[in-house]
Amino acid sequence: MAWGIGSIQNSNPQVRSVRNRLLVIYFGAMAVILGVFGIVAYRVTEYECNREVNTRLQQLAVSATHTLEIIKHEYDELSLEEKHRQYRSSQRLDTLNPLTLIELMGKYETDSFLKPNLALEIPSKSSLSSLNGLEWFDDARNLMVAEGRILSQPPLPNSVEVSGTFSQNDKIRSYILPVYKLGVNADRELVGYVRASTSTIPLEEELGRLRWSFGSIGIVMLGIITISSAWLTRESMKPILSSLEQLKLFTSDASHELRNPLTAIRASVSVMQSHPERIHPADVSKLSAIASASEQMSILVGDLLLLARMDGSPF
């Protein structure tokens, strides 16, 4: 039986076609499921990583809003020459370094009364990551003070949402938050803006490693899917091949069983037709019909037997 099933599977073109279609369907379905799962998992992870970066930026900007009025007050008290320090040349001739928070608030470092209170509100350079930066702007969008190593160079956009606005410049992501205070008649008065910036290079590197991991896992899973698809196809084909084998055996057995009675009928008719004087004239046509039908049946049985033997051939 096992040899017969294998011979049917290898020799019958229709069976091979069904087997190949099943293999493609199983492989395609599982590959699509794997691909959709991988894409969804990556997108969810990417969203969560970006949300974490945005949350850190928002927290950093909110923590810096409490110092904006103090910084603006101190900046306004500087002389024009002192304000122009922010335009002092850096090592690159095409860039200008803004005034730092330490330079602006350095005079309070020696004030034993104000220092503890300011330390609670003003972020120090050590409290900022090397991948973060803070910038304080006045209500006219002029940069006053900056702190940190990551500073966003473009000017503030003309339109900033009250709840804050995110922006992406190359590999630097920024969050701009307007700062208001209550003025006369309980109206909101714009004090200025705070921009928190961070580098997205670590995020892109992390997402790159994640894509590489997903790709490697996907290749391994495709190999497993291929093996699983072949196994499922083989298991699915077993009932079909078993039915075909039973049909082939029935055809072969029926052909053999029908040959003997057909041979007897043909022999009897042939004997009767060899003695026409013994046949009633009314039965001559009936015997001719019987002889013709038995001949056709013999041919049909021979064809069925031939088909059964061909299906059983290993070639």
Side-chain angles (χ1 to χ4, degrees), residues 287-303:
L287 286 175
S288 297
I290 293 173
S292 177
S294 61
E295 180 67 24
Q296 293 178 357
M297 287 292 294
S298 298
I299 294 174
L300 178 60
V301 169
D303 292 341

Side-chain angles (χ1 to χ4, degrees), residues 112-127:
S112 59
F113 176 74
L114 293 177
K115 184 177 180 180
N117 297 325
L118 291 173
L120 296 176
E121 294 187 351
I122 299 178
S124 63
K125 188 173 182 179
S126 60
S127 64

Side-chain angles (χ1 to χ4, degrees), residues 49-66:
C49 292
N50 280 283
R51 188 174 66 86
E52 183 180 354
V53 172
N54 293 341
T55 301
R56 288 202 306 266
L57 279 177
Q58 288 176 318
Q59 293 173 347
L60 185 60
V62 169
S63 66
T65 56
H66 304 293

Side-chain angles (χ1 to χ4, degrees), residues 58-69 71 121 123 134-136 179 194-196:
Q58 288 176 318
Q59 293 173 347
L60 185 60
V62 169
S63 66
T65 56
H66 304 293
T67 65
L68 181 59
E69 289 191 67
I71 291 174
E121 294 187 351
L134 278 172
E135 296 166 290
W136 289 263
V179 181
V194 172
R195 178 163 63 185

Side-chain angles (χ1 to χ4, degrees), residues 89-139:
S89 298
S90 63
Q91 293 180 354
R92 291 179 56 188
L93 298 179
D94 58 340
T95 60
L96 299 172
N97 289 331
L99 196 65
T100 65
L101 186 62
I102 295 177
E103 291 173 337
L104 178 66
M105 308 302 293
K107 61 183 179 181
Y108 293 104
E109 290 293 325
T110 57
D111 194 319
S112 59
F113 176 74
L114 293 177
K115 184 177 180 180
N117 297 325
L118 291 173
L120 296 176
E121 294 187 351
I122 299 178
S124 63
K125 188 173 182 179
S126 60
S127 64
L128 292 175
S129 168
S130 60
L131 298 177
N132 295 330
L134 278 172
E135 296 166 290
W136 289 263
F137 298 82
D138 59 17
D139 53 347

Side-chain angles (χ1 to χ4, degrees), residues 179-191:
V179 181
Y180 297 90
K181 71 175 181 179
L182 291 178
V184 294
N185 300 325
D187 293 333
R188 289 190 308 175
E189 179 182 345
L190 180 63
V191 178

Side-chain angles (χ1 to χ4, degrees), residues 22-275:
L22 282 176
L23 180 62
V24 171
I25 290 172
Y26 284 137
F27 180 85
M30 288 190 286
V32 168
I33 293 173
L34 175 65
V36 171
F37 174 79
I39 292 174
V40 171
Y42 174 78
R43 291 302 181 187
V44 170
T45 305
E46 181 184 32
Y47 171 80
E48 290 297 328
C49 292
N50 280 283
R51 188 174 66 86
E52 183 180 354
V53 172
N54 293 341
T55 301
R56 288 202 306 266
L57 279 177
Q58 288 176 318
Q59 293 173 347
L60 185 60
V62 169
S63 66
T65 56
H66 304 293
T67 65
L68 181 59
E69 289 191 67
I70 300 175
I71 291 174
K72 185 177 181 181
H73 173 73
E74 294 297 327
Y75 186 79
D76 290 339
E77 289 187 348
L78 294 178
S79 64
L80 185 61
E81 180 182 354
E82 290 174 324
K83 290 180 180 179
H84 283 175
R85 289 180 187 173
Q86 63 179 312
Y87 298 107
R88 64 194 185 283
S89 298
S90 63
Q91 293 180 354
R92 291 179 56 188
L93 298 179
D94 58 340
T95 60
L96 299 172
N97 289 331
L99 196 65
T100 65
L101 186 62
I102 295 177
E103 291 173 337
L104 178 66
M105 308 302 293
K107 61 183 179 181
Y108 293 104
E109 290 293 325
T110 57
D111 194 319
S112 59
F113 176 74
L114 293 177
K115 184 177 180 180
N117 297 325
L118 291 173
L120 296 176
E121 294 187 351
I122 299 178
S124 63
K125 188 173 182 179
S126 60
S127 64
L128 292 175
S129 168
S130 60
L131 298 177
N132 295 330
L134 278 172
E135 296 166 290
W136 289 263
F137 298 82
D138 59 17
D139 53 347
R141 294 185 173 84
N142 296 317
L143 177 61
M144 296 183 295
V145 177
E147 191 65 63
R149 298 182 60 182
I150 301 298
L151 303 177
S152 184
Q153 299 298 327
L156 295 181
N158 295 328
S159 176
V160 179
E161 298 290 337
V162 176
S163 59
T165 300
F166 285 98
S167 65
Q168 184 79 30
N169 178 36
D170 195 14
K171 298 186 182 299
I172 297 178
R173 183 174 302 176
S174 301
Y175 177 69
I176 306 168
L177 182 64
V179 181
Y180 297 90
K181 71 175 181 179
L182 291 178
V184 294
N185 300 325
D187 293 333
R188 289 190 308 175
E189 179 182 345
L190 180 63
V191 178
Y193 303 87
V194 172
R195 178 163 63 185
S197 303
T198 188
S199 173
T200 57
I201 293 178
L203 174 62
E204 294 175 359
E205 291 177 349
E206 183 66 25
L207 292 177
R209 288 191 292 268
L210 182 63
R211 288 191 296 269
W212 185 87
S213 300
F214 275 22
S216 302
I217 295 174
I219 293 174
V220 175
M221 291 302 298
L222 284 177
I224 297 176
I225 286 175
T226 302
I227 298 174
S228 302
S229 300
W231 180 80
L232 287 174
T233 301
R234 184 181 60 186
E235 293 298 315
S236 300
M237 290 295 295
K238 282 183 178 180
I240 300 175
L241 298 176
S242 178
S243 299
L244 289 176
E245 178 66 18
Q246 292 177 1
L247 179 61
K248 183 177 73 69
L249 291 176
F250 170 78
T251 303
S252 178
D253 294 342
S255 300
H256 281 290
E257 294 296 329
L258 288 174
R259 290 182 69 183
N260 293 330
L262 284 174
T263 302
I265 293 173
R266 292 179 62 188
S268 298
V269 171
S270 178
V271 170
M272 295 179 65
Q273 288 179 335
S274 63
H275 298 82

